[in-house]
Amino acid sequence: MPSLAARIESAFDDAVKDAQRAAEFQALMSKADSIRDTVVAGCDKKRKKLSALRKEAKEAQESGGLSEEEASRLTVRLDEADGALQQARRLRPVTGSLFIRLFLGSVNVKVSHEEDRKKLKEEYNKFKSRTNLLFILIPLSWAANIYLLSDWLSYTHWITVFGHIWLLYYYVTLALRENILRVNGSRIMSWWIVHHYISAAMSIVMLTWPFTSLHEELMPSFTVFFLSQAVVMQFQAFYQRRRHYSLVAQGKASQMDVTNPEGLREYNTTALLVVLVVLLMGTYCFELYLSYSMLHAAIYHPGLQLWRNPMFYKQELQVVFVGAAFAVLAVGNTISLVRTVSDKCVR
Amino acid sequence: MPSLAARIESAFDDAVKDAQRAAEFQALMSKADSIRDTVVAGCDKKRKKLSALRKEAKEAQESGGLSEEEASRLTVRLDEADGALQQARRLRPVTGSLFIRLFLGSVNVKVSHEEDRKKLKEEYNKFKSRTNLLFILIPLSWAANIYLLSDWLSYTHWITVFGHIWLLYYYVTLALRENILRVNGSRIMSWWIVHHYISAAMSIVMLTWPFTSLHEELMPSFTVFFLSQAVVMQFQAFYQRRRHYSLVAQGKASQMDVTNPEGLREYNTTALLVVLVVLLMGTYCFELYLSYSMLHAAIYHPGLQLWRNPMFYKQELQVVFVGAAFAVLAVGNTISLVRTVSDKCVR
Ligand SMILES: CC(C)(COP(=O)(O)OP(=O)(O)OC[C@H]1O[C@@H](n2cnc3c(N)ncnc32)[C@H](O)[C@@H]1OP(=O)(O)O)[C@@H](O)C(=O)NCCC(=O)NCCS
Ligand SMILES: CC(C)(COP(=O)(O)OP(=O)(O)OC[C@H]1O[C@@H](n2cnc3c(N)ncnc32)[C@H](O)[C@@H]1OP(=O)(O)O)[C@@H](O)C(=O)NCCC(=O)NCCS
């Protein structure tokens, strides 16, 4: 074994080498920054110039100033230029949607480090699977409230409130992460994000709903709905993990997909998909049923008088909003599911 | 003017050059990535090795195996190595606190592009100044509710609920942005972030507070408190902008500071700071007063019976929590303000 002094010297050399690497990293980053600045600064102007040239070429062709052959040669050139600019435009900082702006401001959420980008999706999936238990516990706490606790405690509405605040948090963080994922190349359909916006808005409206007898009447259906949804989501996550295994096994997994440490297994996902679609359609029917019962109540329930003076409204608007939102979710989900599945069949 | 074909050709060349630059950017980024990976992978091990060597050197010195002179030479070497490693460790991806993990997952929020980093602070300040109006409108809507709307409408509690949800959103997004700013070099004291956590928790608890006569009694004080706080925050923002002008003018503004487009003006910020401190101390006294009146009510108010069986609690816990939270805020704010101001005096 070398002497202590020699070992300290070699550890020192090692550390200095790392510090040099860090300095090199910073130098690369600032060089990359200045390249990005140059490219981004000119991008929009160049794009406009190209479309102006395209227009000019078209006019020249129409007025006979350009032969057909020459015109098509120029069009190809313009297309190539557009493609190249498209490539360059990928460097632009992107905030994505208003939703990201609401929570983080107009900051760049496009992640330029490959490793960090992979981590985004990994963390998203982890979050979903970790919180699934809570998604079961919340409706269970509601059920406990309805059938047990309300007999013992004189005030239990806070249980409902906490549940809605948790749902609000859940949908907000999902929507936030999905927006960031989209900016970074995920192919997630925008409807699923809109779905989470609507769900968050529903939680907010539910928080404004006073605790009336109608509220009490509807709570059991909500509770059963959320419980069944939690079970379906569990199955959906299972399906997506399985599908991922087989995608990776076939070498088709995209950049944004997570490589699962448990290893790869071949699995026929088609059968699972069929079961999942049936379960999902069941959930959407449940949503339609909830929508129907709320809109029906809005019109016929003795505690509600939608046609009365709005000044006297107590919960009318909440019932209508949540009822309508469930209908929108059911229809939107069905359309998106059909599109996703038919896309899968074509592939 | 050159011919159309020539102009298209030159636009094409331009676009291709940009695409090449974009490719170069990607190449730089992946090179930076691999450097980061190398450095980060060994960092913790090297650190442990250094502290083991340090221990060994100390033992050797104590057992007389090392001369004093040699020992101090080696210690200097070890210190230098530690410093170098510290440099290298800056490349590690950082998530920051649990709060970021809750909303974005354990993803890297350290921003390596200089421009993007500046934007973070800029957007944070913009958010604060843009929402200041809402911070005034929300308590005004509460006042309108108390003194006007509740006579006309039969259900107005939703106004209070919306207010609390807005406050919840406000404090959550502030805390989220501040956490990200901290990871990226802001010197913001952690208390101000904790302050926003506590405020968010208070909004959640307020949402579970049933609409009782005590709630109604306390709403006017809350309303006045939030209104006065909004005014003080307006003044605080004014002070921070002014201070920033003079810092930039003196060339002292740090990397995270925002360069304001309105240009620089010399301004004596000390007088402003004195006024601000007086206003802030007034706000903290108000917080103490609210805390006192809530804790007093918790004990003496006829509608509350804290010493009763907890099964009969209706709003007891809410009153105690919010009352205690106001006290914590008042004390914590005062300590932090005194520390900030005395730091400023020393500088
Ligand atoms: C039908 C379904 C399972 C198909 O999932 P899939 O096989 O992963 O679908 P695709 O291959 O088209 O996915 C494309 C991308 O969108 C993502 N995605 C698909 N559905 C999603 C959803 N509901 N939420 C979030 N992300 C979704 C995928 O993860 C994939 O992301 P990637 O590009 O980053 O890898 C899925 O769309 C689904 O579960 N839909 C129903 C959701 C629902 O109705 N929930 C509410 C009631 S329980
Ligand atoms: C006293 C005060 C005005 C000093 O502000 P300042 O002069 O900017 O203080 P410092 O120079 O110590 O600031 C250090 C950093 O912390 C930030 N900071 C200071 N107080 C902050 C606060 N309350 N919230 C958010 N950020 C704050 C500054 O912007 C600066 O950030 P930077 O490093 O990114 O540039 C400020 O701390 C303050 O307003 N405190 C009271 C806040 C309060 O009590 N609010 C609730 C009742 S209204």
Side-chain angles (χ1 to χ4, degrees), chain A residues 1 4-5 7-16 18-19 21-22 24-26 28-29 31-33 35-39 42-43 46 49-50 53 56-57 60 66 70 73-74 77-78 80-82 84-85 87-88 90-91 93 100-108 110 112-116 119-120 123 127 152-155 158 161-162 165 168-169 172-173 176-177 180 204-205 207-210 308 310-315 318, chain B residues 1 4-5 7-16 18-19 21-22 24-26 28-29 31-33 35-39 42-43 46 49-50 53 56-57 60 66 70 73-74 77-78 80-82 84-85 87-88 90-91 93 100-108 110 112-116 119-120 123 127 152-155 158 161-162 165 168-169 172-173 176-177 180 204-205 207-210 308 310-315 318:
Chain A
M1 195 162 160
L4 178 60
R7 276 177 294 137
I8 287 179
E9 210 56 42
S10 105
F12 169 78
D13 288 346
D14 239 30
V16 167
D18 269 359
R21 285 200 195 101
E24 195 186 342
F25 175 90
Q26 302 295 5
L28 287 174
M29 288 307 298
K31 198 167 163 203
D33 264 359
I35 290 179
R36 195 180 78 166
D37 288 349
T38 320
V39 171
C43 242
K46 285 179 194 160
K49 201 170 152 196
L50 279 184
L53 285 171
E56 211 179 315
L66 265 185
E70 176 71 357
R73 196 186 65 82
L74 289 180
R77 220 59 179 147
L78 283 168
E80 285 170 352
D82 263 335
L85 263 195
Q87 215 87 36
R90 294 226 184 98
L91 301 197
I100 298 181
R101 287 213 290 282
L102 277 178
F103 280 88
L104 302 176
S106 296
V107 299
N108 183 24
K110 208 196 264 163
S112 29
H113 298 286
E114 175 75 21
E115 279 301 314
D116 294 351
K119 197 84 199 288
L120 286 177
E123 285 292 316
F127 174 76
W152 301 343
L153 304 172
S154 41
Y155 171 67
W158 58 270
V161 172
F162 272 136
I165 290 176
L168 180 57
Y169 156 70
V172 162
T173 173
L176 195 56
R177 292 164 192 232
I180 297 177
I204 290 178
V205 171
L207 284 169
T208 70
W209 192 342
R308 209 167 40 166
M311 298 276 180
F312 297 138
Y313 279 2
K314 274 211 165 73
Q315 43 178 335
Q318 283 89 336
Chain B
M1 193 158 159
L4 177 60
R7 277 178 295 136
I8 287 180
E9 210 55 45
S10 105
F12 169 78
D13 287 347
D14 239 29
V16 167
D18 269 358
R21 285 200 195 102
E24 194 185 345
F25 175 90
Q26 301 295 5
L28 287 173
M29 287 309 296
K31 197 165 164 203
D33 265 357
I35 290 179
R36 196 181 77 167
D37 288 349
T38 320
V39 171
C43 244
K46 285 179 193 160
K49 199 169 152 196
L50 280 183
L53 285 171
E56 210 180 317
L66 267 184
E70 177 70 358
R73 196 186 65 83
L74 290 180
R77 219 61 179 147
L78 283 167
E80 285 170 351
D82 262 336
L85 264 195
Q87 217 87 32
R90 294 224 183 98
L91 300 198
I100 297 181
R101 285 213 290 282
L102 277 178
F103 280 88
L104 302 176
S106 296
V107 299
N108 183 24
K110 208 197 256 166
S112 30
H113 297 286
E114 176 76 23
E115 279 302 314
D116 294 349
K119 198 87 198 286
L120 285 177
E123 285 292 315
F127 174 77
W152 300 342
L153 303 173
S154 42
Y155 172 67
W158 59 270
V161 172
F162 272 137
I165 290 175
L168 180 58
Y169 157 71
V172 163
T173 172
L176 195 56
R177 293 164 192 232
I180 297 176
I204 290 178
V205 170
L207 284 169
T208 70
W209 193 341
R308 208 167 39 164
M311 299 276 179
F312 298 139
Y313 280 1
K314 274 211 164 72
Q315 44 178 334
Q318 283 89 335

Side-chain angles (χ1 to χ4, degrees), chain B residues 121 124 128 178 185-189 192 195-196 229 232-233 236 239-240 243 254 256-257 273 276 280 283-284 287 333 337 340-341 344 347:
Chain B
K121 182 80 188 230
Y124 172 78
K128 271 187 157 180
E178 285 159 358
S186 169
R187 297 151 304 147
I188 179 172
M189 261 169 95
W192 303 124
H195 178 301
H196 294 147
Q229 200 192 25
V232 174
M233 279 164 62
Q236 178 206 334
Y239 161 76
Q240 280 178 322
R243 190 183 74 97
S254 88
M256 283 305 292
D257 293 339
L273 183 61
L276 180 61
L280 284 172
T283 310
Y284 305 159
E287 283 171 348
N333 283 344
L337 183 62
T340 304
V341 173
K344 278 185 194 296
R347 265 186 254 153

